[in-house]
Amino acid sequence: MNVEILAVADAVAREKSVERELVLEAMEQALKTAARRTYPGKEVVAEIDRLTGEIRLFHVRTVVIDEEFEEEENHLTLEQGKELDAEAEIGTEFRTSLPPIELGRIAAQTAKQVINQKIREAERDRVIAEYEPRVGELITGIVKRVERGNVYVDLGRGEAVMYREDLLPRETFRQGDRIRAYLREVRNQTKGPLVFVSRSDAGMVLRLFEQEVPEIEDGVVAIQAIARDPGSRSKIAVISTDAAVDPVGACVGMRGARVQAVVNELHGEKIDIIEWTEDPAVFVVNALAPAEIERVLVDEATNTIEVAVAEENLAIAIGRRGQNVRLASELTGWNIELMSAGEEKERRSEEIAAAKVVFQEGLDVDEDFAAVLVDEGFFSLEDLAYCAIEDISGIGGLDAEVAQELQKRARNVLLDQALQVGAEEGEATVSLLDLPGMTREIAEQLAARDMVSVEALADAAGDEIEDIEGLSREEADALIIAAREASGWFDE
């Protein structure tokens, strides 16, 4: 019997690819669980001799402090421990041998469940330890089975699952097929699969190019961004750290051999290789290839790029079902608004007309001068209010004094608009400019700090606004007190 236990432990360890010691520990735990039925209330420990396979059971009693003494059967006071061993101290364990137990049907079943549970936990820990460091790599396995569209892959020392959405469209596998996929995630969970692989992840394209292009592996060429429509088209942006190496040419290879190897692995998925650049306009133009771009307008405030193309190129730029512009937007990180050259011209005309009206009404200038401002690149009061004074004084021979007056008018209009919005949001009947000691210059600086209402100023502290130009600490405190009075802070 003893020899058979060691033989069984060796066989299970080989079959499940776990340590023999772990199997023996699981057996000891199972024996301990079964022994509790025979020796209820006793703290039992089971040991299996690693050389002979002999099974030994012990009743364990522990020396505890008086406050923790609860179970007479399993605890000893320090005095009792000293009687058994003069060197006993708190925490010392005394073991008494117990007769072997008879494993009945229920006890045997319980022991079997404990062993299986321990083995499953060990297998799970082994799979996690082996594959978690490999997340993000390409991995090869054999299709074990296909259930409801999900593919289960035998990795040799574990099993992975590739869900239906991780497959390429119209891609099918059968039992026994060899498969190469991207190790997407290793998840530690008690039930279900642990390793998840994918062929639709953008990382699949990245790793395939790393395998096919030595310059990427060497660090000479780097893939900066990837946008992918699995099974249909991918766009990758590449850059070279060596001026002598063409990053696009390196990825394409001689006669397209390198990129074709990737395309074949992905069952004909088209791949556009684009040179990455810091200039967003150039990057977007490259990303929208093969469409020819006529004009690009970058709006950094809204992270939007307006792109105008000829009417005959509009369909190419958009792509089938909007695929080309969508992938270009994902690749560059910019919102791309496509329009025909005619639409762009019409929109431009509307913007110019609107800007002229704003300047005429806000600055009290005539239409001709408003047109001059637009021609110089000013399209809003903000553009005029916060630019360098030299940018205005160079327009049409204006002197510095007139330029300063124009900028002052623009800032006054913006300030009045901000104060009006602040008053409406705060539902106040008093404007900042109505407060004693308030000037337009101070109000303008407060507006720059988002304090555009009496309530906002009332909530401020003196040290928050004392650095405003033209305002001392005492004056700052006085303004805040006035704002609080106007806001009704001191009303009964």
Side-chain angles (χ1 to χ4, degrees), residues 182-462:
Y182 177 77
L183 183 51
R184 177 170 58 84
E185 182 184 6
V186 174
R187 190 182 305 163
N188 189 356
Q189 55 187 21
T190 55
K191 292 183 179 180
L194 300 172
V195 181
F196 300 86
V197 296
S198 172
R199 286 177 57 82
S200 64
D201 195 284
M204 180 82 179
V205 177
L206 172 65
R207 297 307 176 198
L208 287 174
F209 269 101
E210 286 180 345
Q211 288 187 353
E212 298 295 334
V213 183
E215 289 85 350
I216 294 179
E217 187 177 359
D218 295 340
V220 178
V221 174
I223 296 179
Q224 296 291 93
I226 298 178
R228 189 180 184 199
D229 191 351
S232 179
R233 182 182 291 274
S234 289
K235 289 180 180 285
I236 68 171
V238 295
I239 188 173
S240 174
T241 58
D242 187 343
V245 177
D246 174 19
V248 176
C251 293
V252 172
M254 186 71 68
R255 298 180 182 177
R258 292 174 176 176
V259 69
Q260 191 58 47
V262 177
V263 170
N264 292 340
E265 176 65 34
L266 301 177
H267 302 309
E269 181 175 316
K270 296 180 178 63
I271 298 177
D272 299 333
I273 304 173
I274 298 145
E275 185 171 2
W276 185 87
T277 174
E278 290 184 353
D279 188 332
V282 176
F283 191 17
V284 167
V285 169
N286 293 341
L288 286 171
E292 295 182 5
I293 310 303
E294 291 197 357
R295 188 173 299 164
V296 176
L297 179 63
V298 179
D299 186 353
E300 295 184 354
T302 60
N303 197 47
T304 300
I305 292 183
E306 295 180 1
V307 179
V309 298
E311 194 71 44
E312 60 272 16
N313 274 324
L314 187 58
I316 298 175
I318 295 174
R320 185 180 180 186
R321 297 177 182 175
Q323 182 189 69
N324 193 54
V325 66
R326 174 168 49 82
L327 290 179
S329 181
E330 292 178 11
L331 185 75
T332 60
W334 287 81
N335 299 318
I336 300 176
E337 292 187 6
L338 275 178
M339 64 190 76
S340 67
E343 292 173 336
E344 192 270 341
K345 185 176 181 180
E346 182 178 351
R347 178 183 291 190
R348 188 74 171 171
S349 298
E350 292 175 354
E351 289 179 352
I352 291 174
K356 287 180 181 178
V357 172
V358 168
F359 290 146
Q360 286 178 256
E361 296 178 352
L363 303 178
D364 191 22
V365 297
D366 59 25
E367 184 178 355
D368 292 338
F369 188 76
V372 171
L373 290 175
V374 172
D375 290 340
E376 292 293 330
F378 296 100
F379 285 89
S380 67
L381 292 173
E382 287 85 352
D383 294 341
L384 200 63
Y386 301 109
C387 69
I389 200 68
E390 294 80 10
D391 295 338
I392 305 175
S393 60
I395 299 175
L398 294 179
D399 57 28
E401 185 177 350
V402 176
Q404 290 175 351
E405 176 61 26
L406 282 174
Q407 193 168 67
K408 181 180 179 181
R409 291 184 186 182
R411 290 182 177 181
N412 283 337
V413 172
L414 292 175
L415 176 60
D416 290 338
Q417 292 174 350
L419 293 179
Q420 182 179 356
V421 172
E424 290 174 353
E425 292 179 350
E427 299 181 356
T429 58
V430 178
S431 168
L432 275 180
L433 292 175
D434 297 329
L435 297 177
M438 181 66 70
T439 65
R440 296 195 70 87
E441 290 74 16
I442 295 174
E444 185 178 333
Q445 296 178 69
L446 289 174
R449 305 184 185 198
D450 293 329
M451 296 182 190
V452 293
S453 68
V454 173
E455 286 76 7
L457 179 58
D459 289 334

